[in-house]
Amino acid sequence: MPSSEGRLNPGRVAAGLVGLRYPWWRIALGLAALAVAAIFAASLGSVHVPFGSVVEIMAARLPGVELSADIPAAWDTILWQLRLPRVAQAAVVGAALAMSGAAYQGLFKNPLADPYLVGVASGAGLGAVVVLLTGVPMYLAGISLLPVAAFAGGTGAVVVAYSIARNSQGTPTTTLILAGVAIASLTGAVSSLLIMRSDPELRPVLSWLLGSFISSEWKESAIVLAYAVPGIVVLLGFGRVLNVLQLSEDHAAMLGVPVEKVKLLLIAAATLVTAAAVSFSGLIGFVGLVAPHAVRLVWGPDYRFLLPMSAIVGATFLVLADLVARTIVSPGELPVGVVTAFCGAPFFLYLLRRRRLGTS
């Protein structure tokens, strides 16, 4: 929560650790809400599949469970080949962006931080634009180079920003943020130059830059998870350390925390998770800002709970946002980033208003 300087309030963090028992029931409730949202999203579309039938079709994939004869085979095809892969990818990407957003907010001690703060988005965008608008082949040995280029661009931008910010005394977070902004401006300018010098059909470029799950497949969610899970495990394991870092880096060092090593590890983990998420979905804003702050407002700032609950809220939010994106202008479709911007921009302005008023 922001104090008069717009930072997280260390006193609330410390107070929230006294006598706290890990709230497993809230995690279970959040997972149940996510499951309901996923089934609801899978049931709606140009072909309506009743809620109960969605549950039955999903259960029929379990050993010993058979599908009722009165359920059309087309429904099974629609769900397993079109809607459920899309719902799964939206959930994975939402969880990844929200958890990395929570980690960045804790690391920078600023609730206005998001996963794209240190140049991940602009670097990934440049990588995607290079593949989409230049002579680079889209496929190599049957593998799409678009997500590979986006992943490389996002991680490369953060590596450059970190290298610039690091000095003999460590890595000042303010310098890292400024370096990230500079790298973002540079990569954004190069992307714009490539777009201006090309004469392509810009719809695929805009679709990727605004985020979309229109061509989601099961294997894409599996690949995102393969890259993101190691980073997620690291972030979850450092929830207690993030709590300590809210006091101050000096306090953390006095308590035995290797601050610089922890900062490097957390930046690397959060960047890996973010880059994995955007490599297939494109750039989807505000999820990493809205979800962690919503959890913090309702349940407090303890990062041992904030990180996993942010992932659940982010997954639920993006599943529902994607549902709106593909149904609100049917038979057409909006980029999901447009929907999250309509939700997230007012929330961001609300946070700025609270910061200006000095509320916590």
Side-chain angles (χ1 to χ4, degrees), residues 283-308:
L283 308 183
I284 302 173
F286 292 104
V287 178
L289 172 70
V290 172
H293 206 84
V295 174
R296 190 180 292 110
L297 285 172
V298 177
W299 288 303
D302 188 336
Y303 280 86
R304 293 174 296 175
F305 169 68
L306 179 63
L307 288 167

Side-chain angles (χ1 to χ4, degrees), residues 142-346:
I143 300 175
S144 174
L145 292 183
L146 182 59
V148 176
F151 184 88
T155 53
V158 175
V159 168
V160 173
Y162 184 86
S163 300
I164 293 173
R166 184 166 178 79
N167 56 38
S168 59
Q169 282 74 43
T171 311
T173 55
T174 301
T175 307
L176 178 59
I177 292 172
L178 292 175
V181 170
I183 295 299
S185 298
L186 177 61
T187 53
V190 175
S191 298
S192 299
L193 180 62
L194 289 175
I195 293 173
M196 291 176 62
R197 291 181 61 84
S198 302
D199 188 21
E201 166 59 49
L202 291 179
R203 192 172 303 171
V205 180
L206 295 177
S207 178
W208 196 92
L209 292 177
L210 292 174
S212 176
F213 298 110
I214 194 169
S215 60
S216 299
E217 299 178 7
W218 288 110
K219 64 179 181 180
E220 294 178 353
S221 297
I223 294 172
V224 172
L225 281 174
Y227 281 98
V229 164
I232 289 173
V233 170
V234 170
L235 295 179
L236 289 175
F238 277 79
R240 188 184 298 273
V241 175
L242 278 170
N243 284 336
V244 175
L245 288 176
Q246 304 315 298
L247 303 176
S248 76
E249 293 185 4
D250 291 338
H251 281 88
M254 290 174 60
L255 293 172
V257 176
V259 175
E260 289 303 316
K261 291 182 180 179
V262 167
K263 286 165 63 176
L264 176 59
L265 183 60
L266 291 178
I267 290 171
T271 300
L272 175 65
V273 172
T274 302
V278 304
S279 61
F280 284 99
S281 66
L283 308 183
I284 302 173
F286 292 104
V287 178
L289 172 70
V290 172
H293 206 84
V295 174
R296 190 180 292 110
L297 285 172
V298 177
W299 288 303
D302 188 336
Y303 280 86
R304 293 174 296 175
F305 169 68
L306 179 63
L307 288 167
M309 199 63 195
S310 294
I312 295 172
V313 172
T316 305
F317 172 54
L318 198 52
V319 166
L320 296 177
D322 183 56
L323 171 62
V324 173
R326 64 180 172 84
T327 58
I328 195 170
V329 293
S330 182
E333 180 171 325
L334 289 176
V336 68
V338 173
V339 178
T340 59
F342 272 111
C343 297

Side-chain angles (χ1 to χ4, degrees), residues 41-139:
S43 71
L44 297 181
S46 56
V47 177
H48 175 65
V49 181
F51 193 94
S53 298
V54 175
V55 176
E56 185 174 351
I57 291 172
M58 294 173 65
R61 294 301 175 103
L62 298 175
V65 181
E66 296 184 0
L67 191 64
S68 299
D70 59 343
I71 292 183
W75 288 3
D76 184 82
T77 301
I78 289 171
L79 287 180
W80 286 105
Q81 294 188 15
L82 297 175
R83 293 187 188 168
L84 287 176
R86 182 167 183 156
V87 168
Q89 189 169 349
V92 170
V93 170
L97 292 176
M99 183 175 288
S100 58
Y104 277 126
Q105 289 171 14
L107 185 62
F108 298 130
K109 291 183 279 190
N110 190 330
L112 302 182
D114 77 348
Y116 301 145
L117 186 64
V118 290
V120 181
S122 56
L126 177 58
V129 167
V130 168
V131 172
L132 290 169
L133 299 184
T134 66
V136 176
M138 283 288 292
Y139 293 89

